[in-house]
Structure formats: C-alpha cells, structure tokens
Amino acid sequence: MKNDYLLLTPGPLSTSETVRQAMLKDWCTWDDEYNKDIVEVIRDKLVTLATQSSGYTSVLMQGSGTAAVEATIGSAIGRQGKLLVVDNGAYGARIAQIAQYLQIPCHVVSVGETSQPHLNDVETALASDPSITHVAMVHCETTTGILNPIEDITKLAKRFNKVVILDAMSSFGGIPMDIGQLDIDFMISSANKCIQGVPGFGFVIAKQAQLEQCEGQARSLSLDLYDQWQCMQANHGKWRFTSPTHTVRAFYQALSELDAEGGVTARHQRYVTNQTTLVAGMRSLGFETLLTDDLHSPIITSFYSPSHSDYQFKTFYDQLKQQGFVIYPGKVSDADCFRIGNIGEVYPEDIQRLIHAVSKAMYWTQTETVAEHG
C-alpha cells in the first residue's frame, strides 16, 4: 500500500512499506514468540544503540512520547525532590507543565525559543537552590529545530550531583550519542521518530541503579515506570497492561531497517543531507530560516512565512499536499513561520521534489492573487 503523500513532519512520519506490512499479523501478548523474541530483543537493542557503557536498561511504555516523559518525571522524582527544567520551546515547557500537574516543585530556566540555554543561568539556579534534585531538558526542541548543548548542561548538572533526565524524543536514532559517556540517567524517546516506526509507545533507557530507586514513587498507576520495568524484567518482556502489539512489531522491523541502512551514523548523514538540501533549496526560492545555521538540527527546520499580505499557511499547505507533501505549521509564539521535517523514510531526492513543489505552490498563489486583483 502506497502513501498518498510524504509526511515532512517530526513524527508521526513517513514509514517504509515493510514497516507498515509488519503490522498485518496479530500477536498474543502472553506468547513467548512475542515477548521473548520481539520485546526483549527490542529492549536489548535500544540499550546497545544508546550506549556502550554497562549498567543501563530499558523499559517500554504504552502511549505517546509525552506519556513516557510523564512516566519518567512522575516516577523518578521523589516526594522531597525538586526539578530544574531547561526550557527553550514548547516541549521544555511541557515538562514544566507535567511537573505542575503532578505537584512536583519546579524551577524553570527559560531563554526564549530561538536561543540555546545559557550555562550561566543554569549554574546560577543550581548553585542558589540546593533543594533541586533533578535536571530535565530537551535535546532537539522541535518547536524550532534547535539542537541543545546536552553535553555541557549534563556536565554542569553532574558537578552539582543532580540526576539528569533527557527528552531525546526527536533525536535518538538520528543523531549519534552515547548516553553513558554523557552520564545521562534517564533518556526518553518514542517509536515514531528517528527509528522510523509508528505511534503507540515510548521508551526510557536508564541507569538501572537509578530506575531501581523509583520503586514506590510513581504518582500514577499506568505511568509507573518502575513497575512496568519490573514486570518486563521478571516476565521476559511482558507488559503490565495491554501491549500495542502491532506497533511493537513494526518497531522491531524498523530497528532491522536501521541496521540495514548502516546504523545511526548513516541515518544521521542522510538526515543532514536532507536538511542542507532543504535549506539551500528554500533559500534559492527566497525563504529565510528562523534560526542561524549553527543552531540547526538535522531533524526539522523552521522558515519564516512569506511577507506578502496574500500568503496564508492553509492555502500553501493545501497546495503542497495536492503535490504529495505534508508540512507542519509554526509553533513559535512570536514569529510567523512554518516547519519542514527531514526525518522518516525521506531521501534527498524527495527534498528536491519538494523544492519544485514549493516553487509551483508559490507561483499558483501569486497567479491567483493577480487574477483576484484584475
């Protein structure tokens, strides 16, 4: 089954036909063929992708990526804990919102949506408030596409002996990293991002010693990270509640295709080529990027909307969709922009086709405007 259009979004994203085909078989959640041969293989593979260091484990959580973030925040931070959130976009702000809902004391270091966090601000917050126990941040903030300096912030947090929680939702599997070398305690991502699976579950890769300390701390039954991990550990991959079996099987296939592509390094290079091809092509049509090139990630790029008064994103979106491409609206609070993702089953030749489609869409818009004004 072919797709009607290419999803140029940060997830859900366009998947391969073979990943979609993997969902055509039903699976029993109690069967060893599913739990031992699929779930356990996935858990081991995720740890291997994340780090060469020992002492890490993984746990899969039903739901969206945000559910996995909430499970981690709500389980890792004890009743006497306090969270420092490094915020430069909607997803950093969402972590703070989760803490507020869970009544976890929270200090937010906010630097605006188009800047990387300032280390001095983070250091000041940590030095002035010894009650802070955990530091949370987003690696690739898809509000803009900015890539945050996780190595510098983690080193700073560890200097103050803090537990580090990394939201690597849109970067894990697409940007090389070793969370053991970085000394990350909890790293969170989702099935429908750079591994190129489909939505349905998130996952957490964590230091086992830190995860063991989460026992009894969860503020939710279904989002109890420790209990979910303990059940999987004791029962060879068994989920506590209904497993998203079709999504899990698709993810298993997606991991195989990541290996076949050459691993994270090769996939990262494809994404980088996609992104640089995109930026060069859009600039050739007169579009400007929201961020400077040194802040760009290979995941998603924000572009300023055209300045002429007749431009409307919905019209632009519809014209691109008619040509087989779906893009994202902007999410920046003080800039009129739109976003184009580079991840998923997307290749440089697809980006080149997109540039041609954008050129046609802008021509149609200008032609319609001229016709309307006689």
Side-chain angles (χ1 to χ4, degrees):
M1 179 180 290
K2 301 294 184 181
N3 287 326
D4 294 331
Y5 44 74
L6 201 64
L7 288 174
L8 298 176
T9 61
L13 37 69
S14 286
T15 56
S16 70
E17 188 170 0
T18 42
V19 165
R20 297 192 298 276
Q21 287 174 345
M23 294 185 286
L24 297 179
K25 178 180 176 180
D26 297 324
W27 296 87
C28 173
T29 60
W30 281 96
D31 197 273
D32 283 347
E33 187 181 0
Y34 175 71
N35 289 312
K36 289 184 179 180
D37 297 345
I38 296 178
V39 178
E40 288 293 78
V41 171
I42 288 173
R43 292 182 65 213
D44 290 343
K45 181 64 176 176
L46 287 173
V47 174
T48 301
L49 285 175
T51 183
Q52 296 182 354
S53 301
S54 60
Y56 280 83
T57 186
S58 68
V59 54
L60 315 183
M61 297 294 297
Q62 297 96 325
S64 66
T66 297
V69 174
E70 185 164 344
T72 305
I73 298 298
S75 300
I77 302 173
R79 294 301 188 272
Q80 304 304 314
K82 184 173 183 178
L83 179 64
L84 171 68
V85 178
V86 181
D87 168 26
N88 64 337
Y91 297 95
R94 186 174 294 177
I95 294 175
Q97 186 180 23
I98 288 170
Q100 181 183 15
Y101 265 72
L102 298 179
Q103 298 182 345
I104 295 172
C106 182
H107 179 94
V108 179
V109 175
S110 183
V111 298
E113 296 162 320
T114 57
S115 299
Q116 288 183 329
H118 304 304
L119 293 180
N120 288 342
D121 293 341
V122 178
E123 183 173 12
T124 298
L126 291 172
S128 62
D129 190 350
S131 67
I132 292 171
T133 56
H134 294 67
V135 175
M137 58 185 162
V138 176
H139 187 196
C140 177
E141 179 54 82
T142 54
T143 303
T144 59
I146 199 168
L147 199 62
N148 285 323
I150 58 174
E151 182 175 1
D152 293 338
I153 294 175
T154 300
K155 283 182 178 178
L156 183 57
K158 290 301 175 178
R159 182 150 63 84
F160 286 88
N161 298 314
K162 309 305 179 186
V163 175
V164 176
I165 299 170
L166 178 67
D167 177 341
M169 204 65 60
S170 296
S171 59
F172 179 72
I175 297 177
M177 70 178 90
D178 187 315
I179 65 172
Q181 291 182 3
L182 290 169
D183 205 11
I184 302 291
D185 296 285
F186 296 87
M187 191 222 72
I188 312 154
S189 192
S190 180
N192 59 294
K193 299 289 186 175
C194 294
I195 304 296
Q196 299 184 182
V198 300
F201 71 94
F203 52 87
V204 181
I205 304 167
K207 292 179 181 177
Q208 182 164 328
Q210 284 292 340
L211 191 48
E212 288 171 347
Q213 293 180 35
C214 297
E215 183 177 5
Q217 294 187 158
R219 293 156 174 86
S220 164
L221 172 64
S222 62
L223 298 181
D224 189 328
L225 192 67
Y226 173 84
D227 270 7
Q228 182 89 335
W229 172 74
Q230 186 61 37
C231 183
M232 288 185 169
Q233 287 287 96
N235 299 287
H236 307 292
K238 178 72 178 66
W239 302 58
R240 288 182 301 157
F241 310 125
T242 302
S243 167
T245 52
H246 299 79
T247 297
V248 172
R249 184 59 184 81
F251 190 75
Y252 180 88
Q253 174 65 26
L255 283 170
S256 297
E257 294 179 13
L258 174 62
D259 282 341
E261 185 172 353
V264 175
T265 300
R267 182 155 293 179
H268 175 251
Q269 186 55 58
R270 171 162 63 88
Y271 289 169
V272 168
T273 304
N274 286 348
Q275 199 270 341
T276 54
T277 302
L278 172 69
V279 170
M282 292 295 283
R283 284 176 175 164
S284 74
L285 298 178
F287 288 90
E288 297 180 12
T289 59
L290 177 70
L291 302 175
T292 56
D293 288 351
D294 60 310
L295 297 179
H296 281 153
S297 73
I299 306 301
I300 190 169
T301 307
S302 294
F303 295 91
Y304 283 107
S305 298
S307 57
H308 60 79
S309 59
D310 295 298
Y311 167 83
Q312 290 187 359
F313 174 77
K314 183 64 168 63
T315 302
F316 183 52
Y317 173 94
D318 289 342
Q319 289 169 343
L320 290 179
K321 186 176 179 181
Q322 289 173 21
Q323 299 180 77
F325 300 95
V326 166
I327 64 173
Y328 247 30
K331 204 164 187 173
V332 179
S333 57
D334 58 356
D336 184 6
C337 58
F338 59 89
R339 298 175 290 165
I340 300 178
N342 313 293
I343 64 176
E345 192 71 1
V346 178
Y347 295 85
E349 53 268 31
D350 297 313
I351 301 298
Q352 292 167 353
R353 292 191 299 109
L354 168 71
I355 299 304
H356 181 65
V358 170
S359 177
K360 290 176 66 175
M362 296 309 296
Y363 173 77
W364 291 340
T365 299
Q366 293 167 3
T367 301
E368 289 173 1
T369 301
V370 171
E372 287 173 3
H373 290 84

